[in-house]
Amino acid sequence: MSFRRGVVRQSKFRHVFAQAWKAEHCLDDVRVSRVTWDGPLCAVNPKFIAVIIEAGGGGAFLVVPIGKSGRIDQSCPTVCGHAAPVLDIQWCPHDDNIIASASEDCTVKVWQIPDGGLTSPMTDPIVTLEGHSKRVGILAWHPCAFNILLTAGCDNVVFVWNVGTGELVYQLADAHPDLIYSVSWNKDGSAVCTVCKDKALRIIDPRRGAVLKVREKVHDGTRPMRAVFLADGKILTTGFSRMSERQLALWDAKDLSEPMAVQEMDTSNGVLLPFYDPDTNMVYLCGKGDCTIRYFEVTDESPYVHFLSLYSSKEPQRGAGFLCKRGVDVNKCEIARFYKLHERKVEPISMTVPRKSDLFQGDLYPDTAGLEPALLADEWIAGQDAAPLLISLSGGYAAPPSKHRDTLRSKPKLSSQDSGAGGAATAATVAATPTPTPTPTSAAKEVEEETPQPRATARETDGNTERPRREDEMLSELLAEMKALRAVVLAQNQRIELLERQLARIEDGDV
């Protein structure tokens, strides 16, 4: 019994299991792109699923609401404004209606998808970014600064754009001697890590244009590699050994002389695409052409990278989309969700932690990055850094009205974070809810002079000045009652978790 206690590592993610959704919840007849590019070919957020598809005479991708299922009709409208195949698509982390696409036509286009999805083919982007001389295959939105987008192409050049103005703000032309395989921002967006065909891992400050650290031969194999920054500053890479075995390696960004951990997996040819969840510190490896998805937990204790389990199915995957934490079902203890691309189907796969309690599991869902950006583009360009603004998933998640709505209206190329009826609803919410007034930026001050404030308008048009006061008092009482109830629920939740841990120890024979 003592031996068993010594080898079993305690982790709440030890029993994570993956389950594919039933056939009726899949998307069928989706003509997934056959482009020869090692990308995920799919991007997902809490509103939409986007999939790069086969298109004659140009490049196109499909965008449908996340709740849609069943057969996709051939006449379903697509985003089809590129002159050559699309290689990568990425949703903006600060606006669920904005998506960027990179193409073999050497351009990057930014699109605004209307709430509810497309009703007709979309050919006109809100911004077109031109500057690359060869095809563009990598997109990476800044995790904290609004409207900052990084692009990398086969011209071995990295560009950083201010999407709100369409301007190129930084260019890294001499950092990479060969094809760039992947780019990843760190947690606060102050640096990026890249891997290149020369087998080197680089840590770069894009604002200074300086390569901070270089590690030669991260993996000895010649096939493509991937790298992703972890929340604690470490870097995880995937690649191939000299004997063509697929590898996973963990590096300390402060000292790249030796890897902290290396794991070899198999001899398959598919490139391992890493998907990282900063909230749980779990990494999911999805190999193109594989029938499996492996998942690992990264900890601060040796051996640092712990294999948890794998999901296996009969059909190989062409790519996969990874849903951010704001979109998972917290009521079912779902900690991650993939959208696996088959040849003509998109299949959701849920990663779930089994729990007996029906209450919100706070240990599984720490505060996660919300829609609100921590910085404006100009603030980041001026040298500021900030961690992502976090929100709680307790009781479900609803997007708050953005502080930057007015600032964005002053930029004609990229409209408000909210669109259509959603924008009107947000304005009404701002009018009804007392919120602290942020210090406006200069752009916001200019727009404030032109735009009447919703709250003031509501009070002026209402003949009874006592009514808003009563509403505020009622709202304060409701908030106080909700706060008290939440405290009770959290206390009971902690009690239940303690009892569950004691029960697990008894079942494991530890007591």
Side-chain angles (χ1 to χ4, degrees), residues 170-250:
Y170 299 108
Q171 178 176 341
L172 304 170
D174 303 321
H176 302 90
D178 213 326
L179 178 66
I180 303 167
Y181 286 141
S182 82
V183 179
S184 174
W185 292 96
N186 66 352
K187 184 178 181 179
D188 64 0
S190 60
V192 297
C193 68
T194 68
V195 283
C196 178
K197 197 172 182 179
D198 66 354
K199 304 181 186 179
L201 168 67
R202 293 173 174 84
I203 301 175
I204 300 172
D205 182 341
R207 286 175 294 198
R208 289 165 44 202
V211 179
L212 305 178
K213 289 184 182 295
V214 180
R215 161 69 191 196
E216 306 289 345
K217 285 196 176 181
V218 177
H219 297 278
D220 290 328
T222 56
R223 294 187 53 75
M225 301 181 294
R226 290 290 184 275
V228 59
F229 250 120
L230 306 188
D232 59 1
K234 297 184 181 72
I235 297 173
L236 185 135
T237 62
T238 62
F240 294 79
S241 70
R242 192 186 302 275
M243 304 302 292
S244 295
E245 293 175 310
R246 293 197 294 191
Q247 289 181 327
L248 164 71
L250 184 69

Side-chain angles (χ1 to χ4, degrees), residues 107-119:
T107 68
V108 173
K109 297 179 186 288
V110 181
W111 314 82
Q112 184 159 20
I113 308 299
D115 286 329
L118 302 178
T119 55

Side-chain angles (χ1 to χ4, degrees), residues 39-328:
L41 304 179
C42 179
V44 193
N45 70 17
K47 279 189 178 181
F48 300 105
I49 305 169
V51 182
I52 302 174
I53 59 172
E54 285 288 296
F61 59 95
L62 177 75
V63 178
V64 296
I66 196 166
K68 185 174 177 60
S69 59
R71 183 176 176 273
I72 300 297
D73 194 87
Q74 299 299 313
S75 61
C76 182
T78 60
V79 180
C80 49
H82 283 286
V86 177
L87 300 180
D88 194 15
I89 49 177
Q90 294 290 333
W91 290 103
C92 175
H94 305 123
D95 190 327
D96 286 340
N97 294 80
I98 300 295
I99 188 170
S101 58
S103 168
E104 288 189 3
D105 65 9
C106 306
T107 68
V108 173
K109 297 179 186 288
V110 181
W111 314 82
Q112 184 159 20
I113 308 299
D115 286 329
L118 302 178
T119 55
S120 60
M122 182 173 282
T123 56
D124 296 323
I126 51 175
V127 183
T128 297
L129 307 174
E130 297 178 327
H132 286 281
S133 59
K134 293 184 179 180
R135 60 181 182 169
V136 190
I138 297 173
L139 298 169
W141 289 96
H142 194 288
C144 310
F146 191 59
N147 283 349
I148 295 295
L149 176 65
L150 181 149
T151 64
C154 294
D155 50 8
N156 311 336
V157 180
V158 174
F159 288 158
V160 180
W161 308 83
N162 181 350
V163 175
T165 60
E167 296 172 334
L168 173 63
V169 291
Y170 299 108
Q171 178 176 341
L172 304 170
D174 303 321
H176 302 90
D178 213 326
L179 178 66
I180 303 167
Y181 286 141
S182 82
V183 179
S184 174
W185 292 96
N186 66 352
K187 184 178 181 179
D188 64 0
S190 60
V192 297
C193 68
T194 68
V195 283
C196 178
K197 197 172 182 179
D198 66 354
K199 304 181 186 179
L201 168 67
R202 293 173 174 84
I203 301 175
I204 300 172
D205 182 341
R207 286 175 294 198
R208 289 165 44 202
V211 179
L212 305 178
K213 289 184 182 295
V214 180
R215 161 69 191 196
E216 306 289 345
K217 285 196 176 181
V218 177
H219 297 278
D220 290 328
T222 56
R223 294 187 53 75
M225 301 181 294
R226 290 290 184 275
V228 59
F229 250 120
L230 306 188
D232 59 1
K234 297 184 181 72
I235 297 173
L236 185 135
T237 62
T238 62
F240 294 79
S241 70
R242 192 186 302 275
M243 304 302 292
S244 295
E245 293 175 310
R246 293 197 294 191
Q247 289 181 327
L248 164 71
L250 184 69
W251 304 83
D252 184 349
K254 298 175 183 177
D255 181 8
L256 298 177
S257 58
E258 292 294 332
M260 298 175 65
V262 177
Q263 287 196 20
E264 295 182 346
M265 278 163 279
D266 54 31
T267 55
S268 178
N269 290 325
V271 175
L272 285 170
L273 304 178
F275 296 92
Y276 174 61
D277 179 0
D279 302 331
T280 60
N281 228 29
M282 287 177 62
V283 177
Y284 303 84
L285 299 186
C286 177
K288 300 201 77 171
D290 287 7
C291 298
T292 59
I293 299 175
R294 296 174 173 84
Y295 35 106
F296 301 79
E297 183 180 4
V298 182
T299 67
D300 294 329
E301 299 176 357
S302 181
Y304 304 109
V305 180
H306 307 270
F307 174 73
L308 295 174
S309 186
L310 60 82
Y311 165 78
S312 183
S313 61
K314 294 180 180 179
E315 296 183 55
Q317 55 235 6
R318 302 280 297 280
F322 185 61
L323 181 63
C324 69
K325 194 58 66 70
R326 289 185 292 112
V328 301

